[in-house]
């Protein structure tokens, strides 16, 4: 093993420059002849646009031009595409294809949520662009709106689209309805719980931004942006909006200050800066402010679910049934429909041996910002449903929650196991995860701690929850490994947004090639570097991007053996590769990898097919997903007088297969738990029912978790190798966000058990808890 090989807790190589403030984020990007764009957005949730007069704005100081929807339409700029191609085509229950209401970079006829973009102003300064926006005269005819998910399909509710009657866009039914109904009829106990999975604003640390340029000589666009998938973004914008060859658009992405799924999507402003750059012959920069982010970024979650669990007389699970209404927002974009209908249901039954399931999901449209993927994308919603059902069943049946889980866990001898939704888990030790977590959290001595809290006037609760997820997204990834200037340059189609990808790829390649860690350079910034790439989402990088990189390294070694054979004057079959050098088997004659790389470029005696850079490339497509899993425990106290929550202990045992870097994995778990905690007890997106305005449109109104909301976490891993990829790895990026919400709610409910509480909806704010303890509503 090399010094910094796989399994070593290597500090992130990215950190020094970021901590010194020399990272390169979207707003750091500056080029000559820069103009600035500003988006004028609808102040109304629903209104017809009668007319737009931009004449005054165009005459304002410093203004280059003002664009409206009609301008883009006249220039044949297209609209937003449907979901990414790696999601299966969605069809309606009658078999007809699902059609999406149109969405354009600027709306010209009717606005459908507060924040809908209606005009794009370009000026020499941002201040001048904003000033000009105030002089645009728009005649709106206000229309009724609906922002509440539960009211979207009500009789008389405001209708967003003529082609979407009753705002009911799509329904999916997954599982076996008839078999599940039979299981419920034969059940001894049926448990029910109604759940709200609250709408979340994603709030990446770095807001969205875009810089657009156009070179008329090359007839090529360049977009510099903060995005999670530069190749998919390139193809979407080129094919759907600009209607040009994707090779005529270069997408550049440097550091990304958080994405969480929200930055996988194409956005209006990325199209607008490119369109305006070509029209005006200047470079145009647009950067969101935080209020714009609240209004216009893709939101997450927003589900209402009625959930049922059937059990026999021994507490064995017989079946599960879920009826969900999922809000899509005013437009269906990105993977908004696929997340609740295709992604989440795959792992609904979690790690339990449940014979049958029936999931019905209705997707509805509301006068709110569109909903897209948010860390976990459907999997957190599914795990929340299952774990809350198990805990409520334990309370109603009087069975210890650990014992109820133990009776129903999938056993190791049942693996590979195909669940009721048709998903096959290849590996896992689910009971061992729970046992290890209980030991880590000192579960058996909890009652002593609980009594101590009661003696001090505080309520203590504990919860334990299991999870499994399927890593989702684009199943194909490209990579290239090349020797250049005594370095190994790795180009890969994934891209980092804070996870430490550079470090993990450097470890993999360093170990694979036997070269120094510092001699590996990772290049992921330019869509022109590779013909295609899958980006970063769905915890896909380790099991797809890493394997494409390893395969590329193998191909480079194979080519290197041919070159080394020529140099060492022996048959390639006699050449071995070890520790960064090619050698003749059984001798001490060898030549280093970097020397072979130099010879490949400079030698005139090599066969033509061996001349040129020493490199290898691979496009890898997975045939099976992998299934990270684990168990988390939360112990907390609630102040009786204030309802304030203090998390005292948080423990996690996760199975991520082979762990490439334990420090990076721990960081991913920490971040996921923090976001899960935010949803569980603090965050909530609220639109006013009467006005349709977003009430929680700033950090003054929307509560984000802070450092003192989280304790030091006690984290461990149970490395059960994945059997469906050569590295044995499983994704780690979303696990914490899956299990933190149910385990925190479980602990809160346990703390309030003397008040007759079996469930409390997220966010379980201190105000809610205080009202429960003081019997007010």
């Amino acid at each position: 093993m090399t010094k910094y090989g796989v399994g070593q807790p290597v500090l992130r190589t990215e950190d020094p420059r970021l901590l010194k403030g020399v990272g390169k984020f979207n707003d750091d990007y500056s080029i000559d002849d820069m103009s600035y764009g500003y988006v004028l957005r609808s102040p109304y949730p629903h209104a017809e646009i009668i007319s737009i007069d931009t004449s005054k704005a165009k005459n304002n100081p410093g203004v280059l031009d003002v664009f409206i929807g009609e301008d883009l339409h006249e220039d044949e700029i297209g609209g937003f595409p449907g979901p990414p191609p790696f999601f299966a085509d969605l069809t309606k229950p009658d078999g007809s294809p699902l059609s999406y209401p149109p969405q354009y970079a600027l709306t010209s006829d009717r606005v459908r949520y507060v924040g809908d973009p209606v005009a794009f102003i370009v000026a020499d300064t941002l201040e001048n662009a904003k000033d000009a926006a105030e002089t645009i005269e728009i005649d709106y005819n206000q229309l009724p709106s609906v922002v509440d998910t539960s009211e979207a399909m009500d009789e008389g509710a405001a209708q967003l689209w003529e082609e979407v009657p009753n705002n009911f866009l799509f329904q999916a039914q997954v599982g076996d309805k008839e078999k599940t109904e039979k299981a419920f009829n034969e059940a001894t106990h049926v448990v029910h719980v109604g759940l709200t999975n609250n709408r979340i604003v994603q709030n990446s640390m770095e807001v969205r931004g875009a810089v657009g340029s156009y070179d008329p000589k090359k007839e090529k666009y360049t977009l510099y942006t903060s995005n999670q998938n530069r190749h998919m973004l390139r193809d979407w914008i080129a094919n759907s909006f600009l209607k040009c060859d994707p090779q005529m658009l270069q997408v550049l992405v440097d550091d990304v200050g958080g994405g969480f799924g929200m930055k996988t999507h194409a956005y209006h402003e990325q199209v607008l800066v490119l369109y305006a750059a070509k029209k005006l012959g200047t470079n145009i920069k647009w950067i969101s402010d935080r209020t714009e982010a609240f209004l216009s970024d893709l939101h997450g979650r927003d589900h209402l679910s009625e959930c049922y669990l059937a059990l026999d007389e021994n507490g064995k699970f017989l079946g599960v049934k879920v009826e969900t209404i999922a809000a899509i927002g005013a437009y269906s974009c990105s993977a908004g429909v696929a997340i609740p209908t295709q992604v989440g249901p795959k792992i609904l039954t979690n790690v339990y041996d449940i014979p049958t399931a029936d999931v019905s999901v209705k997707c509805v449209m509301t006068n709110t910002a569109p909903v897209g993927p948010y860390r976990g994308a459907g999997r957190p919603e599914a795990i929340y449903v299952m774990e809350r059902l198990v805990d409520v069943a334990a309370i109603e049946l009087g069975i210890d929650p650990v014992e109820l889980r133990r009776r129903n866990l999938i056993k190791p001898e049942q693996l590979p196991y195909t669940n009721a939704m048709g998903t096959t888990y290849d590996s896992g030790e689910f009971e061992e995860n729970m046992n290890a977590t209980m030991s880590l959290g000192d579960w058996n001595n909890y009652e002593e701690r609980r009594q101590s809290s009661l003696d001090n006037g505080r309520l203590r609760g504990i919860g334990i929850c299991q999870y499994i997820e399927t890593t989702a997204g684009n199943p194909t990834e490209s990579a290239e490994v090349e020797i250049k200037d005594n370095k190994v340059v790795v180009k890969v189609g994934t891209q980092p947004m804070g996870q430490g990808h550079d470090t993990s790829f450097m470890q993999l390649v360093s170990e694979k090639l036997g070269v120094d860690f510092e001699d590996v350079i990772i290049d992921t910034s330019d869509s022109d570097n590779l013909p295609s790439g899958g980006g970063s989402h769905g915890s896909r990088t380790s099991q797809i991007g890493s394997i494409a990189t390893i395969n590329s390294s193998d191909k480079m070694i194979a080519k290197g053996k041919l070159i080394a054979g020529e140099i060492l004057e022996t048959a390639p079959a006699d050449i071995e590769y070890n520790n960064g050098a090619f050698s003749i088997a059984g001798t001490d004659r060898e030549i280093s990898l970097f020397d072979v790389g130099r010879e490949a470029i400079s030698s005139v005696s090599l066969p033509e097919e061996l001349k040129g850079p020493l490199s290898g490339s691979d496009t890898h497509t997975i045939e099976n997903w992998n299934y990270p899993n684990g168990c988390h425990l939360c112990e907390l106290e609630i102040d009786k007088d204030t309802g304030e929550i203090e998390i005292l202990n948080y423990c996690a045992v996760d199975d991520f297969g082979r762990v490439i870097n334990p420090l990076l994995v721990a960081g991913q778990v920490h971040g996921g738990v923090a976001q899960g905690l935010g949803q569980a007890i603090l965050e909530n997106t609220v639109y006013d029912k009467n006005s349709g305005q977003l009430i929680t449109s700033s950090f003054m109104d929307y509560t984000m978790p802070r450092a003192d909301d989280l304790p030091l976490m006690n984290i461990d891993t149970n490395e059960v190798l994945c059997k469906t990829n050569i590295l044995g790895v499983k994704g780690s990026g979303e696990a914490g966000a899956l299990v933190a919400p149910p385990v925190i709610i479980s602990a809160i409910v346990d703390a309030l058990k003397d008040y007759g509480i079996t469930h409390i909806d997220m966010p379980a704010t201190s105000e809610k808890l205080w009202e429960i303890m003081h019997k007010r509503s």
Side-chain angles (χ1 to χ4, degrees), residues 490-501:
V490 179
K491 300 175 182 179
V492 62
T494 66
Q495 60 191 73
M497 48 180 174
Q499 309 98 314
H501 282 185

Side-chain angles (χ1 to χ4, degrees), residues 77-108:
I77 301 299
F80 283 83
F86 45 81
F87 286 111
D89 291 335
L90 291 166
T91 57
K92 295 180 180 179
D94 63 4
S96 62
L98 174 62
S99 60
Y100 297 90
Q103 184 185 19
Y104 299 99
L106 292 173
T107 188
S108 57

Side-chain angles (χ1 to χ4, degrees), residues 436-457:
T437 306
M438 292 171 65
S439 176
L440 209 58
D442 193 21
W443 177 276
N444 293 334
N445 293 314
Y446 164 71
E447 282 302 325
E448 296 177 14
R449 301 191 296 276
R450 179 174 179 270
Q451 189 57 53
S452 175
S453 294
L454 287 172
D455 293 343
N456 290 303

Side-chain angles (χ1 to χ4, degrees), residues 550-615:
I550 293 298
N551 291 343
S552 298
S553 300
D554 282 332
K555 291 178 180 179
M556 183 180 73
I557 292 170
K559 182 179 178 181
K561 286 182 177 181
L562 298 176
I563 298 171
E566 293 286 335
I567 296 169
L568 299 174
E569 298 179 334
T570 190
D574 294 329
I575 298 293
E576 295 178 342
Y577 182 81
N578 288 293
N579 299 318
F582 297 92
S583 63
I584 301 175
T587 75
D588 60 358
R589 293 185 63 200
E590 67 176 29
I591 181 171
S592 76
L593 173 66
F594 295 123
D595 284 341
V596 169
R598 281 194 295 273
E599 286 292 321
I601 294 175
S602 63
S603 175
V604 296
S605 61
L606 285 175
E608 286 299 319
E609 67 270 16
L610 297 181
K611 291 180 180 179
L614 177 57
S615 64

Side-chain angles (χ1 to χ4, degrees), residues 2-129:
T2 53
K3 181 180 178 182
Y4 296 130
V6 173
Q8 300 299 304
V10 183
L11 293 174
R12 297 196 332 166
T13 60
E14 300 92 331
D15 287 346
R17 64 181 179 82
L18 295 176
L19 293 172
K20 292 175 183 176
V22 293
K24 190 175 182 182
F25 295 92
N26 216 125
D27 202 24
D28 297 318
Y29 187 75
S30 183
I31 49 181
D32 294 337
D33 300 320
M34 184 82 77
S35 300
Y36 296 85
Y38 178 74
V39 178
L40 180 64
R41 302 180 184 276
S42 167
Y44 303 113
H46 200 192
E48 292 178 341
I49 298 176
I50 306 302
S51 64
I52 303 179
D53 185 350
T54 62
S55 57
K56 292 181 181 178
K58 289 182 178 182
N59 291 320
N60 258 46
V63 172
L64 278 68
D65 209 339
V66 179
F67 302 100
I68 61 175
E70 290 180 1
D71 298 319
L72 275 67
H73 179 71
E74 288 176 3
D75 287 329
E76 299 184 344
I77 301 299
F80 283 83
F86 45 81
F87 286 111
D89 291 335
L90 291 166
T91 57
K92 295 180 180 179
D94 63 4
S96 62
L98 174 62
S99 60
Y100 297 90
Q103 184 185 19
Y104 299 99
L106 292 173
T107 188
S108 57
D109 56 351
R110 182 187 294 192
V111 294
R112 290 176 170 86
Y113 68 100
V114 174
D116 215 348
V118 294
F120 187 60
I121 304 95
V122 181
D124 57 350
T125 68
L126 179 59
E127 290 73 21
N128 281 339

Side-chain angles (χ1 to χ4, degrees), residues 324-459:
T324 292
I325 299 175
I328 301 302
Y331 301 91
S332 178
C333 54
S334 185
V337 174
I339 287 166
T341 60
Q342 290 188 330
V343 181
K346 288 180 182 291
I347 46 89
L348 173 75
T349 55
N350 201 358
V351 294
Y352 305 114
D353 183 16
I354 304 178
T356 184
D358 175 24
V359 178
S360 172
V361 182
K362 293 180 179 179
C363 297
V364 300
M365 309 199 76
T366 54
N367 294 108
T368 60
V371 173
Y374 175 57
R375 200 168 191 167
R379 281 74 56 86
E381 295 93 317
I383 295 301
Y384 186 69
V385 164
M386 195 67 238
E387 288 304 288
R388 290 309 303 136
L389 275 172
V390 175
D391 276 333
V392 171
I395 294 170
E396 292 189 4
L397 273 62
I399 303 175
D400 179 81
V402 168
E403 174 58 27
L404 185 58
R405 286 176 168 83
R406 202 180 299 280
R407 293 180 192 180
N408 290 282
L409 288 172
I410 299 165
K411 305 293 190 291
E413 58 269 21
Q414 292 177 275
L415 294 165
Y417 176 90
T418 301
N419 70 12
M421 316 308 282
T423 303
T424 300
Y425 309 152
D426 67 287
S427 59
E429 296 176 351
F430 312 127
E431 188 167 13
E432 176 56 31
N433 292 342
M434 187 167 69
N435 291 338
T437 306
M438 292 171 65
S439 176
L440 209 58
D442 193 21
W443 177 276
N444 293 334
N445 293 314
Y446 164 71
E447 282 302 325
E448 296 177 14
R449 301 191 296 276
R450 179 174 179 270
Q451 189 57 53
S452 175
S453 294
L454 287 172
D455 293 343
N456 290 303
R458 297 176 69 84
L459 302 176

